[in-house]
């Protein structure tokens, strides 16, 4: 067997092992152990890692994005409003939520993607807060009351054959949502991996290293930035929409500044150099936070101290790639 | 209309003081201090404890807020930001650290002071009523005047003192300053302490009017970011301009847009986006290359 074939088959083996783990081993283990509460935790991890993947993608073009909460909120509201007020099927609102967020992000991205470094970080953080205030102010989102008792996703049938069963009729709704989130996560990261290893991915890396140089060689940086930001926001919208379907409710405070910062922390912790970094980071941070629940009122203190200690001990350890463009000192 | 302008000046003065601290830290260290709002809340709680609980004079409490926050700021720089900046190659890791510190301070405040809204007795009684055109309680006027005085004192200090000159040199060009004999690590610490002290002073001033609670930190940081974006990051005059502009816009927005619901910040953000599309570096910031 020649070497490239071996690499490909080894990779396929890893993917197959991962699929078996996520789709068969994990549900089986949970059933065997009787810890059905873990379904919700793992579903959340899967969905948050989709949104974090979007943040990771904007890191990939050299932008620190702390505004993903805004798009998760926008996606959630799009889905909720379409389902409750227009009677659209959840399965149609899912892509609609993603596309609405992508369209919104093009509009917002046009001016703000010209900013860099901390400036972009600041404006996206403000964006999260503005999204919350908008949801509070607009009549269609029903303000602080939020949108509640959203019906569960219905049945999808093609030529009389049920493809996706009605979630309301499922014996185990948690398992249903777990599969939904896990499959979406797999699709998302497969797409992300494909994107990073394509021509577009190389162009993104050139942007991350030096925008002026990339531009002078002939890369259309303005167009590329918008496309990547739109994809990133699309993922945020999808994550938010599924989250709303699970909790069957959405409030302006469903996604706020803390969530946006968490998305960013997930990416940092998992490693910015690896496509699957956001998945790992979300898993560790979410489970870490859950495990610390036992410590009661010291939960936040220990969590924050651990994050700080991690940064102090490994300032470059988990962050494997470098951005030589950023100089320190002066503006 | 006079009332709206008076409210704008009152808000602007405190906002400018908050933005000054943030922009000072940013100019010196290139650190985006996410924890600035939490420092402000901490300052408020110190004043609450000393003036509200122990009953000592307000001046003592304000002084204690300033001093304790300066110590916190110096400690943050000395033990956390300094080592990380020295060892890490990426400016993002300081941002991550700042986010971690914001969580940590939230946790500390929660454990020490609880999550209840706290207020203190008024420092001055009475209301100024100018022909029903401007109505403003005396304590607000006093706080506003104090805030403006602190802004002026800060500018004078930065302009004329030896420390201020060194700090400005550091902000302008770190390496050149070091070559001219400025002790960079010492002045970084002083700068951080000064920035945190400003946050503490605002906290101490505002606790007398709005009170203080744990949840105020995050929104305050966000407002400070807005002001810095308007005025231009790392520029002192920009922070003051940004503070007064945001205060004025908030005051005008609240009175003009009130019939459409609470959309003031949406409008402010939308106009900021248009403004940034034309001028990404803010009013007085230097364009980056």
């Amino acid at each position: 067997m020649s070497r490239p074939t071996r690499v490909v088959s080894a990779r396929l083996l890893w993917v197959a092992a991962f699929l078996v783990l996520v789709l068969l081993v994990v549900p089986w283990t949970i059933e065997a152990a009787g810890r059905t509460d873990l379904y919700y935790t793992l579903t959340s991890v899967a969905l948050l890692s989709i949104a974090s993947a979007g943040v990771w993608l904007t890191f990939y073009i050299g932008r620190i994005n702390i505004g993903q909460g805004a798009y998760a909120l926008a996606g959630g509201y799009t889905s909720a409003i379409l389902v409750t007020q227009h009677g659209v099927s959840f399965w149609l609102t899912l892509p609609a939520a993603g596309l609405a967020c992508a369209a919104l992000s093009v509009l917002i991205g046009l001016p703000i993607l010209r900013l860099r470094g901390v400036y972009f970080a600041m404006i996206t953080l403000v964006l999260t807060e503005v999204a919350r205030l908008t949801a509070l102010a607009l009549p269609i989102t029903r303000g602080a009351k939020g949108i509640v008792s959203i019906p569960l996703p219905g049945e999808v049938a093609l030529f009389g054959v049920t493809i996706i069963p009605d979630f309301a009729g499922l014996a185990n709704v948690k398992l249903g949502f777990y599969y939904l989130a896990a499959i979406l996560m797999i699709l998302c990261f497969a797409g992300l991996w494909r994107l990073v290893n394509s021509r577009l991915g190389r162009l993104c890396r050139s942007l991350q290293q030096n925008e002026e140089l990339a531009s002078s060689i002939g890369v259309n940086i303005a167009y590329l930035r918008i496309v990547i930001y739109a994809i990133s926001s699309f993922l945020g919208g999808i994550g938010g929409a599924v989250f709303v379907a699970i909790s069957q409710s959405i409030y302006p405070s469903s996604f706020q500044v803390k969530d946006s910062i968490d998305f960013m922390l997930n990416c940092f912790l998992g490693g910015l150099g690896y496509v699957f970094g956001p998945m790992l980071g979300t898993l560790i941070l979410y489970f870490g936070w859950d495990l610390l629940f036992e410590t009661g009122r010291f939960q936040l203190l220990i969590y924050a101290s651990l994050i700080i200690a991690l940064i102090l001990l490994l300032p470059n350890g988990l962050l494997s790639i470098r951005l030589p463009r950023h100089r320190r000192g002066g503006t | 209309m006079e009332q709206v302008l008076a409210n704008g000046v009152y808000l602007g003065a405190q906002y400018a003081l908050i933005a000054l601290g943030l922009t000072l830290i940013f100019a010196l260290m290139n650190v985006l201090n996410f924890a600035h709002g939490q420092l402000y809340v901490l300052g408020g709680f110190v004043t609450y404890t000393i003036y509200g609980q122990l009953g000592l004079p307000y001046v003592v409490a304000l002084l204690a807020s300033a001093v304790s926050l300066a110590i916190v700021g110096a400690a943050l720089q000395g033990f956390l930001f300094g080592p990380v900046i020295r060892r890490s190659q990426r400016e993002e890791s300081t941002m991550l650290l700042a986010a971690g510190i914001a969580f940590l301070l939230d946790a500390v405040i929660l454990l020490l002071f609880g999550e209840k809204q706290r207020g203190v007795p008024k420092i001055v009684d009475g209301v100024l009523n100018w022909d029903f055109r401007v109505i403003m309680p005396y304590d607000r006027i006093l706080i506003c005047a104090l805030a403006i005085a602190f802004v002026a004192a800060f500018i004078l200090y930065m302009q004329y003192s030896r420390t201020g000159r060194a700090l400005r040199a550091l902000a302008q060009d770190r390496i050149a300053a070091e070559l001219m004999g400025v002790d960079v690590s010492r002045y970084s610490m002083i700068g951080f302490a000064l920035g945190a002290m400003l946050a503490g002073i605002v906290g101490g001033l505002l606790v007398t009017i709005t009170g203080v609670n744990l949840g105020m930190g995050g929104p305050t940081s966000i407002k400070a970011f807005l002001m810095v974006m308007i005025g231009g990051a790392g520029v002192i005059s920009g922070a003051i301009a940004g503070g007064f502009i945001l205060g004025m816009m908030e005051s005008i927005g609240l009175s003009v847009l009130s019939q459409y619901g609470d959309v003031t910040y949406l409008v402010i953000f939308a106009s900021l986006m248009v403004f940034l599309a034309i001028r990404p570096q803010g009013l007085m910031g230097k364009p980056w290359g």
Side-chain angles (χ1 to χ4, degrees), chain A residues 72-225:
Chain A
L73 197 66
Y77 268 113
T78 311
S79 169
I81 288 168
L82 284 177
V83 169
T84 53
Q85 291 172 18
H86 302 279
V88 185
S89 158
F90 166 75
W91 303 106
L92 286 176
T93 67
L94 194 57
L99 290 176
C101 286
L104 187 67
S105 74
V106 170
L107 218 65
I108 296 175
L110 275 173
I112 70 169
L113 279 167
R114 295 175 62 198
L115 305 173
R116 284 182 197 170
V118 275
Y119 298 83
F120 186 78
M122 274 197 272
I123 192 89
T124 48
L125 187 69
V126 173
L127 180 65
T128 317
E129 183 65 6
V130 167
R132 190 180 70 84
L133 291 172
T134 311
L136 269 177
L138 289 184
I140 194 166
T141 55
R142 297 167 39 99
K145 289 196 295 283
I147 300 177
V148 290
S149 55
I150 301 165
L152 286 168
E155 184 184 6
V156 175
L158 199 65
F159 307 120
V161 181
T162 308
I163 300 173
I164 304 168
D166 190 350
F167 270 53
L170 275 184
N172 192 347
V173 184
K174 283 179 181 165
L175 184 65
F177 274 120
Y178 171 74
Y179 273 120
L180 170 63
I183 290 169
L184 280 177
M185 180 182 79
I186 290 165
L187 286 178
C188 157
F189 279 91
L192 198 64
W193 191 82
R194 181 73 191 83
L195 190 151
V196 166
N197 288 296
S198 68
R199 189 180 128 76
L200 192 61
R202 283 172 206 287
L203 291 176
C204 292
R205 278 200 291 284
S206 77
L207 231 67
Q208 185 194 72
Q209 278 162 5
N210 190 332
E211 271 186 26
E212 283 80 20
L213 189 58
S215 165
S216 70
I217 292 171
V219 179
N220 189 348
I221 56 168
Y223 169 76
L224 205 60
R225 286 192 303 222

Side-chain angles (χ1 to χ4, degrees), chain A residues 64 66 108 112 114-115 118 123 125 130 134 137 257 265 268 272 297 301 304 312 316 321 323 326 328 331, chain B residues 26 34 87-92 95-96 104 107 111 222 225 233 262 265-266 269 273 276-277 280 286:
Chain A
I64 307 159
I66 328 178
I108 296 175
I112 70 169
R114 295 175 62 198
L115 305 173
V118 275
I123 192 89
L125 187 69
V130 167
T134 311
V257 171
L265 288 177
F268 269 117
L272 296 177
R297 57 201 197 96
L301 187 70
L312 269 182
N316 302 308
I321 56 160
L323 289 178
H326 293 295
R328 200 169 295 124
T331 46
Chain B
F26 180 80
F34 280 116
R87 279 191 279 166
S88 116
Q89 287 104 347
R90 299 168 57 100
E91 67 173 6
E92 284 91 338
M95 200 183 275
L96 196 62
L104 183 75
L111 287 177
I222 287 171
F225 290 162
D262 194 7
Y265 264 86
L266 189 59
F269 185 73
M273 298 257 286
L276 286 177
K286 286 162 273 182

